[in-house]
Amino acid sequence: MTAVLPQPRTAPALSSPRRLTRTENGERLHALLWTAGPGRRMVSSAVLGGGIGERTWVLNAQVSHGYRRTDPDRHLAGLAAAAGARGPGVGLMTAADVSAYAHARDAGAEAYVTAGVDVRGWAARSGEGADGPQAPGTINIVVAVPVPLSDAALVNAVATATEAKVQALLEAGLDCSGTPTDAVCVAARTPGPDEEEHAFAGPRSLWGARLARAVHRAVREAVTAV
């Protein structure tokens, strides 16, 4: 018998972000803060709050070009705390101006993208990679769905979002698969009692397809605006 999954709640998968402004070393910088509250599970490649777990907020902070701090996780945690964020969260960084973010929605899936593509290239290239801290991410993707996803589906959603990003970059005429330090965060609801988790989030699954279309449109908008 095929399990019947409940319809998603009508509330947005992720509310619009607060825009924050600060001054560091004489430079005016921006940040975006999403306050998800309890009941969200996220998967992320972010330097702060990466991996899979319960998270209550997401911060995407602009930092200066030539960022040299060796404790970006502490820096992000401090920025989030100063903005009133409480509990565990996800913190992403970028040298791009995050106030110029792109947003797209597809049947309940929400995608927010900040982008700068001056430093870009192909993932598979000759030469060795580098250990240690990397420069701040340039294409940051925050995407959410209003349904519960299993751990495997959360990982699947990261792959789907990345595929949609690359498709958008190529369609925009950019000869790359991304930048060396792109980051992604996928948020889903924590399942309620006796509520089934969606087991798949590939591009042909119900929520994977919606997520992919939202990410694709937001990345296209973000990279054509810079």
Side-chain angles (χ1 to χ4, degrees):
M1 178 180 294
T2 302
V4 177
L5 292 166
Q7 291 297 310
R9 297 174 185 171
T10 56
L14 199 63
S15 59
S16 297
R18 284 173 52 201
R19 299 188 189 215
L20 309 173
T21 304
R22 71 190 191 281
T23 300
E24 287 184 1
N25 301 318
E27 186 175 358
R28 189 175 177 84
L29 301 169
H30 304 285
L32 302 173
L33 177 64
W34 291 265
T35 305
R40 294 290 198 285
R41 289 199 330 131
M42 302 185 190
V43 59
S44 180
S45 61
V47 66
L48 174 66
I52 297 177
E54 297 274 347
R55 305 286 187 265
T56 61
W57 51 265
V58 181
L59 179 73
N60 187 12
Q62 179 190 9
V63 296
S64 60
H65 291 275
Y67 184 78
R68 290 292 180 266
R69 285 188 60 158
T70 58
D71 60 345
D73 53 342
R74 290 182 61 189
H75 188 189
L76 287 164
L79 293 177
R86 298 292 180 265
V90 170
L92 307 96
M93 280 186 171
T94 178
D97 181 1
V98 300
S99 65
Y101 70 88
H103 171 237
R105 179 186 294 111
D106 191 290
E110 307 265 352
Y112 295 86
V113 175
T114 59
V117 289
D118 290 339
V119 181
R120 61 180 185 270
W122 297 101
R125 49 173 284 183
S126 60
E128 294 295 325
D131 288 329
Q134 300 291 300
T138 304
I139 301 176
N140 284 345
I141 298 172
V142 176
V143 60
V145 294
V147 296
L149 298 179
S150 68
D151 283 359
L154 283 169
V155 175
N156 205 178
V158 172
T160 298
T162 303
E163 290 179 24
K165 176 195 73 175
V166 175
Q167 179 183 345
L169 291 170
L170 294 177
E171 290 178 1
L174 298 171
D175 56 343
C176 65
S177 57
T179 82
T181 51
D182 293 350
V184 62
C185 174
V186 177
R189 281 200 302 102
T190 301
D194 303 319
E195 185 176 11
E196 293 240 17
E197 296 176 325
H198 287 254
F200 305 101
R204 296 285 69 84
S205 68
L206 176 64
W207 285 101
R210 294 171 176 178
L211 178 153
R213 289 190 295 266
V215 170
H216 176 263
R217 287 200 295 271
V219 171
R220 277 292 297 267
E221 180 182 336
V223 299
T224 55
V226 296

